[in-house]
Amino acid sequence: MYLTEEDVREIAAYTRIALVDGEVTDLKSDLNAIIETLKPITQYDLSGVEPTFHPIDGLSNVMREDVIKPSMLRETALALATSTENGQYRIPTILGEGSNR
């Protein structure tokens, strides 16, 4: 199965990548070369082979337990801030127009 230019345009639209005509042609060639390189894999009989979802079998949750610990008091944290307002950090606006928040 090889990709057409229309396939490449649909993939580009789906991934929101703007391509000009020359790029579509080049990308089609590159993707079809990758498909050709991977073609030998299709020769193997994989019926009955379980899919691998994680390279380390039996791994479930690597996150630590969520344990509540004492933290810095709000007043202490706000005392370290350059600017505060109504019990919150006050920071300059970085997007759009408006006053500092």
Side-chain angles (χ1 to χ4, degrees):
M1 178 182 113
Y2 292 98
L3 298 174
T4 65
E5 287 191 8
E6 182 59 32
D7 294 330
V8 173
R9 289 180 199 283
E10 288 178 15
I11 293 167
Y14 180 76
T15 57
R16 298 180 185 208
I17 298 173
L19 298 175
V20 296
D21 290 338
E23 292 172 323
V24 171
T25 304
D26 292 344
L27 189 55
K28 180 188 88 165
S29 297
D30 292 344
L31 291 173
N32 285 331
I34 292 168
I35 291 170
E36 183 66 32
T37 302
L38 296 173
K39 209 172 194 178
I41 293 173
T42 62
Q43 298 172 3
Y44 297 102
D45 178 17
L46 301 177
S47 58
V49 176
E50 297 270 337
T52 301
F53 293 99
H54 198 282
I56 303 173
D57 191 33
L59 185 63
S60 57
N61 187 357
V62 296
M63 304 300 221
R64 64 172 171 76
E65 292 295 320
D66 191 11
V67 178
I68 298 174
K69 296 181 181 178
S71 61
M72 185 182 296
L73 294 174
R74 180 181 210 179
E75 294 76 25
T76 306
L78 289 174
L80 300 172
T82 305
S83 180
T84 63
E85 185 177 312
N86 298 325
Q88 300 176 358
Y89 291 105
R90 184 169 183 258
I91 59 172
T93 301
I94 58 170
L95 298 175
E97 295 182 21
S99 61
N100 287 347
R101 297 179 188 215

